[in-house]
Amino acid sequence: MTSNAPGSLSPVPPPVGPFAAALATDVLVLDGGMSNQLESAGHDLSDELWSARLLAERPEALTEAHLAYFEAGADVAITASYQATFEGFAKRGIDGGRAAELMALSVESAVDAAVEAKTRGRSGPLLVAASVGPYGAMLADGSEYRGRYGLSPAELERFHRPRLEALAAARPDVLALETIPDTDEAEALLRAVRGLGVPAWLSYTVAGDRTRAGQPLEEAFALAADSEEVVAVGVNCCASDDVDGAIETAVRVTGKPVVVYPNSGETWDASARAWTGRSTFTTEQVKGWRAAGARLIGGCCRVGPEAIAAIARTLG
């Protein structure tokens, strides 16, 4: 695994690597929620760093969580770097160099799980997607479900680029630009991933046929239509009922493979830091998503290994 320092990557075109090859071959099963799997193992995540806290305290717990999903049938593990930022780590007194090491460790933990899963009999490519959460995730106040932070795309690009460089230096198979609530942040991320040499997917969090900030999904997906770095577009961290329309729009506007991984259907209460409501996610919906054009299918918050195993069985 390459370990260049952040900022040292030379601009290169996005590679045709194992992720693109696997995506061209078959539908890939993504994993489920990292936080619910860690909490079920007894880890306290009531913290602004969320699962990223364990990068410094219990990285082996992350490997165990990834392994649970690989053994359930996931082909792709999404790293615990969603809330890992230089700014967030700095609040804990962790300097930039160590923060970059912890971001790289998020990739290494998932790679270790893939290696272990192979020794236990898993076949086929097991891939690692480095999670890049929105600016609102660093704020830890639920604003990733609103967007519109009062920052320009240029300011958001300056926030995201250093962490993208740190994650890309660890050589994941793909960068997961996920839970993006508005087009300003999408625009910033599309500029920030240029020249990193790692493909990416862009996934919005949505409500109905609009981003969380209220922009039409047609406009949101159009931003990525001509991006060479972006190999898939879609939605995550949303209600499963919002997925069908998003797939149709994404296919029509971009022609790219579609990624979908909705929540269980419960609602996050940011002030109480707890989930409310009931689960509405069913694996029967997966058949329709595949038929409509989804090529990467999994779950987000509150979707665990049991549900991922059911998705894997459904997709055959």
PDB file of all heavy atoms in Angstrom, residues 269-290:
ATOM      1  N   ASP A 269     -32.348  11.991  15.336  1.00  0.00           N
ATOM      2  CA  ASP A 269     -32.603  13.189  16.137  1.00  0.00           C
ATOM      3  C   ASP A 269     -31.249  13.710  16.595  1.00  0.00           C
ATOM      4  O   ASP A 269     -30.636  13.157  17.510  1.00  0.00           O
ATOM      5  CB  ASP A 269     -33.478  12.835  17.340  1.00  0.00           C
ATOM      6  CG  ASP A 269     -33.856  14.055  18.174  1.00  0.00           C
ATOM      7  OD1 ASP A 269     -33.094  15.040  18.167  1.00  0.00           O
ATOM      8  OD2 ASP A 269     -34.903  14.021  18.840  1.00  0.00           O
ATOM      9  N   ALA A 270     -30.765  14.790  15.943  1.00  0.00           N
ATOM     10  CA  ALA A 270     -29.414  15.274  16.210  1.00  0.00           C
ATOM     11  C   ALA A 270     -29.264  15.807  17.626  1.00  0.00           C
ATOM     12  O   ALA A 270     -28.204  15.658  18.247  1.00  0.00           O
ATOM     13  CB  ALA A 270     -29.041  16.366  15.200  1.00  0.00           C
ATOM     14  N   SER A 271     -30.313  16.438  18.175  1.00  0.00           N
ATOM     15  CA  SER A 271     -30.201  16.990  19.522  1.00  0.00           C
ATOM     16  C   SER A 271     -30.137  15.895  20.577  1.00  0.00           C
ATOM     17  O   SER A 271     -29.384  15.971  21.548  1.00  0.00           O
ATOM     18  CB  SER A 271     -31.380  17.933  19.810  1.00  0.00           C
ATOM     19  OG  SER A 271     -32.610  17.240  19.682  1.00  0.00           O
ATOM     20  N   ALA A 272     -30.906  14.833  20.369  1.00  0.00           N
ATOM     21  CA  ALA A 272     -30.907  13.713  21.317  1.00  0.00           C
ATOM     22  C   ALA A 272     -29.840  12.679  20.978  1.00  0.00           C
ATOM     23  O   ALA A 272     -29.573  11.774  21.768  1.00  0.00           O
ATOM     24  CB  ALA A 272     -32.273  13.041  21.334  1.00  0.00           C
ATOM     25  N   ARG A 273     -29.235  12.808  19.759  1.00  0.00           N
ATOM     26  CA  ARG A 273     -28.256  11.853  19.261  1.00  0.00           C
ATOM     27  C   ARG A 273     -28.806  10.426  19.374  1.00  0.00           C
ATOM     28  O   ARG A 273     -28.192   9.532  19.957  1.00  0.00           O
ATOM     29  CB  ARG A 273     -26.912  11.986  19.981  1.00  0.00           C
ATOM     30  CG  ARG A 273     -26.245  13.343  19.812  1.00  0.00           C
ATOM     31  CD  ARG A 273     -24.801  13.357  20.287  1.00  0.00           C
ATOM     32  NE  ARG A 273     -23.963  12.504  19.473  1.00  0.00           N
ATOM     33  CZ  ARG A 273     -23.461  12.845  18.281  1.00  0.00           C
ATOM     34  NH1 ARG A 273     -23.743  14.027  17.751  1.00  0.00           N
ATOM     35  NH2 ARG A 273     -22.697  12.001  17.600  1.00  0.00           N
ATOM     36  N   ALA A 274     -30.008  10.258  18.788  1.00  0.00           N
ATOM     37  CA  ALA A 274     -30.669   8.955  18.854  1.00  0.00           C
ATOM     38  C   ALA A 274     -31.564   8.788  17.627  1.00  0.00           C
ATOM     39  O   ALA A 274     -31.972   9.767  16.987  1.00  0.00           O
ATOM     40  CB  ALA A 274     -31.505   8.843  20.120  1.00  0.00           C
ATOM     41  N   TRP A 275     -31.888   7.521  17.301  1.00  0.00           N
ATOM     42  CA  TRP A 275     -32.775   7.204  16.192  1.00  0.00           C
ATOM     43  C   TRP A 275     -34.196   7.007  16.706  1.00  0.00           C
ATOM     44  O   TRP A 275     -34.414   6.437  17.772  1.00  0.00           O
ATOM     45  CB  TRP A 275     -32.303   5.940  15.477  1.00  0.00           C
ATOM     46  CG  TRP A 275     -31.017   6.145  14.744  1.00  0.00           C
ATOM     47  CD1 TRP A 275     -29.753   5.911  15.206  1.00  0.00           C
ATOM     48  CD2 TRP A 275     -30.859   6.669  13.423  1.00  0.00           C
ATOM     49  NE1 TRP A 275     -28.821   6.246  14.252  1.00  0.00           N
ATOM     50  CE2 TRP A 275     -29.473   6.712  13.145  1.00  0.00           C
ATOM     51  CE3 TRP A 275     -31.760   7.087  12.432  1.00  0.00           C
ATOM     52  CZ2 TRP A 275     -28.961   7.161  11.932  1.00  0.00           C
ATOM     53  CZ3 TRP A 275     -31.261   7.544  11.221  1.00  0.00           C
ATOM     54  CH2 TRP A 275     -29.872   7.567  10.983  1.00  0.00           C
ATOM     55  N   THR A 276     -35.162   7.489  15.930  1.00  0.00           N
ATOM     56  CA  THR A 276     -36.570   7.341  16.292  1.00  0.00           C
ATOM     57  C   THR A 276     -37.339   6.768  15.104  1.00  0.00           C
ATOM     58  O   THR A 276     -36.872   6.789  13.967  1.00  0.00           O
ATOM     59  CB  THR A 276     -37.185   8.695  16.687  1.00  0.00           C
ATOM     60  OG1 THR A 276     -37.109   9.597  15.569  1.00  0.00           O
ATOM     61  CG2 THR A 276     -36.442   9.308  17.863  1.00  0.00           C
ATOM     62  N   GLY A 277     -38.552   6.272  15.380  1.00  0.00           N
ATOM     63  CA  GLY A 277     -39.383   5.734  14.314  1.00  0.00           C
ATOM     64  C   GLY A 277     -39.129   4.251  14.090  1.00  0.00           C
ATOM     65  O   GLY A 277     -38.504   3.572  14.899  1.00  0.00           O
ATOM     66  N   ARG A 278     -39.610   3.740  12.960  1.00  0.00           N
ATOM     67  CA  ARG A 278     -39.516   2.304  12.688  1.00  0.00           C
ATOM     68  C   ARG A 278     -38.816   2.057  11.351  1.00  0.00           C
ATOM     69  O   ARG A 278     -38.733   2.933  10.487  1.00  0.00           O
ATOM     70  CB  ARG A 278     -40.898   1.673  12.663  1.00  0.00           C
ATOM     71  CG  ARG A 278     -41.793   2.186  11.555  1.00  0.00           C
ATOM     72  CD  ARG A 278     -43.173   1.567  11.590  1.00  0.00           C
ATOM     73  NE  ARG A 278     -43.988   2.017  10.466  1.00  0.00           N
ATOM     74  CZ  ARG A 278     -43.977   1.450   9.274  1.00  0.00           C
ATOM     75  NH1 ARG A 278     -43.198   0.405   9.049  1.00  0.00           N
ATOM     76  NH2 ARG A 278     -44.747   1.891   8.297  1.00  0.00           N
ATOM     77  N   SER A 279     -38.346   0.844  11.171  1.00  0.00           N
ATOM     78  CA  SER A 279     -37.666   0.461   9.939  1.00  0.00           C
ATOM     79  C   SER A 279     -38.681   0.211   8.824  1.00  0.00           C
ATOM     80  O   SER A 279     -39.709  -0.424   9.033  1.00  0.00           O
ATOM     81  CB  SER A 279     -36.836  -0.804  10.177  1.00  0.00           C
ATOM     82  OG  SER A 279     -36.276  -1.265   8.967  1.00  0.00           O
ATOM     83  N   THR A 280     -38.390   0.743   7.631  1.00  0.00           N
ATOM     84  CA  THR A 280     -39.242   0.517   6.465  1.00  0.00           C
ATOM     85  C   THR A 280     -38.468  -0.141   5.328  1.00  0.00           C
ATOM     86  O   THR A 280     -39.036  -0.430   4.275  1.00  0.00           O
ATOM     87  CB  THR A 280     -39.831   1.842   5.954  1.00  0.00           C
ATOM     88  OG1 THR A 280     -38.753   2.742   5.626  1.00  0.00           O
ATOM     89  CG2 THR A 280     -40.717   2.483   7.022  1.00  0.00           C
ATOM     90  N   PHE A 281     -37.181  -0.366   5.508  1.00  0.00           N
ATOM     91  CA  PHE A 281     -36.327  -0.959   4.479  1.00  0.00           C
ATOM     92  C   PHE A 281     -36.650  -2.444   4.324  1.00  0.00           C
ATOM     93  O   PHE A 281     -36.706  -3.181   5.308  1.00  0.00           O
ATOM     94  CB  PHE A 281     -34.869  -0.788   4.893  1.00  0.00           C
ATOM     95  CG  PHE A 281     -33.859  -1.333   3.911  1.00  0.00           C
ATOM     96  CD1 PHE A 281     -33.251  -0.497   2.993  1.00  0.00           C
ATOM     97  CD2 PHE A 281     -33.520  -2.678   3.912  1.00  0.00           C
ATOM     98  CE1 PHE A 281     -32.315  -0.985   2.103  1.00  0.00           C
ATOM     99  CE2 PHE A 281     -32.589  -3.182   3.015  1.00  0.00           C
ATOM    100  CZ  PHE A 281     -31.986  -2.332   2.112  1.00  0.00           C
ATOM    101  N   THR A 282     -36.878  -2.893   3.094  1.00  0.00           N
ATOM    102  CA  THR A 282     -37.108  -4.312   2.842  1.00  0.00           C
ATOM    103  C   THR A 282     -36.220  -4.771   1.692  1.00  0.00           C
ATOM    104  O   THR A 282     -35.972  -4.016   0.741  1.00  0.00           O
ATOM    105  CB  THR A 282     -38.571  -4.604   2.475  1.00  0.00           C
ATOM    106  OG1 THR A 282     -38.859  -4.046   1.185  1.00  0.00           O
ATOM    107  CG2 THR A 282     -39.518  -4.031   3.506  1.00  0.00           C
ATOM    108  N   THR A 283     -35.753  -5.996   1.768  1.00  0.00           N
ATOM    109  CA  THR A 283     -34.889  -6.510   0.709  1.00  0.00           C
ATOM    110  C   THR A 283     -35.657  -6.752  -0.585  1.00  0.00           C
ATOM    111  O   THR A 283     -35.047  -6.858  -1.659  1.00  0.00           O
ATOM    112  CB  THR A 283     -34.208  -7.821   1.154  1.00  0.00           C
ATOM    113  OG1 THR A 283     -35.200  -8.742   1.611  1.00  0.00           O
ATOM    114  CG2 THR A 283     -33.231  -7.553   2.281  1.00  0.00           C
ATOM    115  N   GLU A 284     -36.982  -6.823  -0.525  1.00  0.00           N
ATOM    116  CA  GLU A 284     -37.761  -6.985  -1.746  1.00  0.00           C
ATOM    117  C   GLU A 284     -37.576  -5.787  -2.677  1.00  0.00           C
ATOM    118  O   GLU A 284     -37.672  -5.919  -3.906  1.00  0.00           O
ATOM    119  CB  GLU A 284     -39.245  -7.172  -1.412  1.00  0.00           C
ATOM    120  CG  GLU A 284     -39.605  -8.573  -0.952  1.00  0.00           C
ATOM    121  CD  GLU A 284     -39.261  -9.632  -1.987  1.00  0.00           C
ATOM    122  OE1 GLU A 284     -39.695  -9.514  -3.147  1.00  0.00           O
ATOM    123  OE2 GLU A 284     -38.533 -10.576  -1.642  1.00  0.00           O
ATOM    124  N   GLN A 285     -37.316  -4.603  -2.093  1.00  0.00           N
ATOM    125  CA  GLN A 285     -37.114  -3.417  -2.918  1.00  0.00           C
ATOM    126  C   GLN A 285     -35.868  -3.531  -3.780  1.00  0.00           C
ATOM    127  O   GLN A 285     -35.768  -2.905  -4.836  1.00  0.00           O
ATOM    128  CB  GLN A 285     -37.007  -2.186  -2.016  1.00  0.00           C
ATOM    129  CG  GLN A 285     -38.279  -1.867  -1.250  1.00  0.00           C
ATOM    130  CD  GLN A 285     -38.042  -0.797  -0.186  1.00  0.00           C
ATOM    131  OE1 GLN A 285     -37.221  -0.960   0.707  1.00  0.00           O
ATOM    132  NE2 GLN A 285     -38.767   0.302  -0.283  1.00  0.00           N
ATOM    133  N   VAL A 286     -34.915  -4.350  -3.339  1.00  0.00           N
ATOM    134  CA  VAL A 286     -33.623  -4.462  -4.010  1.00  0.00           C
ATOM    135  C   VAL A 286     -33.783  -4.949  -5.449  1.00  0.00           C
ATOM    136  O   VAL A 286     -33.078  -4.493  -6.352  1.00  0.00           O
ATOM    137  CB  VAL A 286     -32.701  -5.407  -3.203  1.00  0.00           C
ATOM    138  CG1 VAL A 286     -31.455  -5.764  -3.993  1.00  0.00           C
ATOM    139  CG2 VAL A 286     -32.329  -4.751  -1.881  1.00  0.00           C
ATOM    140  N   LYS A 287     -34.706  -5.871  -5.685  1.00  0.00           N
ATOM    141  CA  LYS A 287     -34.910  -6.397  -7.042  1.00  0.00           C
ATOM    142  C   LYS A 287     -35.283  -5.271  -8.015  1.00  0.00           C
ATOM    143  O   LYS A 287     -34.790  -5.222  -9.142  1.00  0.00           O
ATOM    144  CB  LYS A 287     -35.992  -7.462  -7.029  1.00  0.00           C
ATOM    145  CG  LYS A 287     -35.655  -8.697  -6.206  1.00  0.00           C
ATOM    146  CD  LYS A 287     -36.832  -9.665  -6.185  1.00  0.00           C
ATOM    147  CE  LYS A 287     -36.552 -10.871  -5.308  1.00  0.00           C
ATOM    148  NZ  LYS A 287     -37.722 -11.790  -5.239  1.00  0.00           N
ATOM    149  N   GLY A 288     -36.162  -4.388  -7.573  1.00  0.00           N
ATOM    150  CA  GLY A 288     -36.567  -3.271  -8.420  1.00  0.00           C
ATOM    151  C   GLY A 288     -35.428  -2.304  -8.669  1.00  0.00           C
ATOM    152  O   GLY A 288     -35.297  -1.760  -9.777  1.00  0.00           O
ATOM    153  N   TRP A 289     -34.600  -2.079  -7.649  1.00  0.00           N
ATOM    154  CA  TRP A 289     -33.462  -1.171  -7.818  1.00  0.00           C
ATOM    155  C   TRP A 289     -32.483  -1.713  -8.847  1.00  0.00           C
ATOM    156  O   TRP A 289     -31.985  -0.969  -9.693  1.00  0.00           O
ATOM    157  CB  TRP A 289     -32.760  -0.946  -6.485  1.00  0.00           C
ATOM    158  CG  TRP A 289     -33.642  -0.335  -5.435  1.00  0.00           C
ATOM    159  CD1 TRP A 289     -34.807   0.341  -5.632  1.00  0.00           C
ATOM    160  CD2 TRP A 289     -33.424  -0.337  -4.020  1.00  0.00           C
ATOM    161  NE1 TRP A 289     -35.340   0.757  -4.435  1.00  0.00           N
ATOM    162  CE2 TRP A 289     -34.511   0.352  -3.423  1.00  0.00           C
ATOM    163  CE3 TRP A 289     -32.424  -0.856  -3.194  1.00  0.00           C
ATOM    164  CZ2 TRP A 289     -34.620   0.536  -2.045  1.00  0.00           C
ATOM    165  CZ3 TRP A 289     -32.523  -0.683  -1.822  1.00  0.00           C
ATOM    166  CH2 TRP A 289     -33.605   0.018  -1.258  1.00  0.00           C
ATOM    167  N   ARG A 290     -32.211  -3.007  -8.767  1.00  0.00           N
ATOM    168  CA  ARG A 290     -31.297  -3.603  -9.748  1.00  0.00           C
ATOM    169  C   ARG A 290     -31.890  -3.502 -11.156  1.00  0.00           C
ATOM    170  O   ARG A 290     -31.190  -3.135 -12.113  1.00  0.00           O
ATOM    171  CB  ARG A 290     -31.021  -5.064  -9.401  1.00  0.00           C
ATOM    172  CG  ARG A 290     -30.143  -5.761 -10.447  1.00  0.00           C
ATOM    173  CD  ARG A 290     -29.758  -7.160 -10.038  1.00  0.00           C
ATOM    174  NE  ARG A 290     -30.911  -8.024  -9.835  1.00  0.00           N
ATOM    175  CZ  ARG A 290     -30.832  -9.282  -9.427  1.00  0.00           C
ATOM    176  NH1 ARG A 290     -29.640  -9.818  -9.155  1.00  0.00           N
ATOM    177  NH2 ARG A 290     -31.912 -10.018  -9.267  1.00  0.00           N
TER     178      ARG A 290
END
